[in-house]
Structures are given as C-alpha cells and as structure tokens.
Amino acid sequence: IFMISGTGNWLSDDIPVEWMTIPKTSLTEQADFMLKVRGDSMQPKFFDNDVLLIKKSPSILEGEIGIFILNGDSYVKQMGDRKSTFLR
C-alpha cells in the first residue's frame, strides 16, 4: 500500500510502505495498486485509513476523482472545471 492524503503526502514510485493481502475479485484484479487515505478532506466519500483501489489512467474527466501530485506531494481530489477551482 502506498500512502496518500488530502493534505499532501509523499507517494513512492516503486516501494510499498505496507503490504496487505486482499481477496481476489474482478474489482481488485482491475486495480494497478492501492493507496491508503490520510486525512479527511474528501469526507464523506473517503475517510482516514480507507484503502483505495487505483487504476492508472493518462487523464480524467471533470467530476472524476483522481490522484494528483503537486510539488512531490500526493492528493486524492475531484477534478473541477476551469471556471472554478481545478481541484475540489
């Protein structure tokens, strides 16, 4: 599990911070990796210590939730539109 947060946290490229065994399901088989949420900025959708299954994608659409990296820190945020804020 890699660590991520609403307030920004280091996201390793290759080295898991923690190993976790999960059941093999069609949903878990589609995930490229998992992230553990740190913080509460995405409540009530995600809570502190929730584990997210992540599928890599080259882009996301307005309204979708993604993992964003800014200045070396990672964030779980909803993509906003260009008229308001970029991230919610």
Side-chain angles (χ1 to χ4, degrees), residues 10 20-21 24 39 43-47 61 73 78 83:
W10 177 70
M20 174 185 259
T21 302
K24 185 175 182 177
Q43 285 184 8
K45 184 77 174 172
F46 304 114
F47 292 87
L61 301 174
D73 292 325
Q78 183 177 19
K83 296 175 190 168

Side-chain angles (χ1 to χ4, degrees), residues 15-45:
I15 304 168
V17 175
E18 175 182 337
W19 289 100
M20 174 185 259
T21 302
I22 59 170
K24 185 175 182 177
T25 68
S26 60
L27 189 60
T28 59
E29 283 186 327
Q30 292 177 40
D32 292 313
F33 56 96
M34 298 183 302
L35 297 174
K36 186 179 281 188
V37 174
R38 294 283 183 223
D40 60 6
S41 70
M42 287 294 292
Q43 285 184 8
K45 184 77 174 172

Side-chain angles (χ1 to χ4, degrees), residues 34-77:
M34 298 183 302
L35 297 174
K36 186 179 281 188
V37 174
R38 294 283 183 223
D40 60 6
S41 70
M42 287 294 292
Q43 285 184 8
K45 184 77 174 172
F46 304 114
F47 292 87
D48 191 41
N49 289 317
D50 279 355
V51 176
L52 309 179
L53 299 173
I54 306 298
K55 178 75 175 160
K56 290 182 183 180
S57 174
S59 63
I60 66 170
L61 301 174
E62 180 182 318
E64 291 183 320
I65 295 173
I67 308 304
F68 299 89
I69 299 173
L70 178 65
N71 298 327
D73 292 325
S74 55
Y75 303 87
V76 177
K77 295 292 178 186

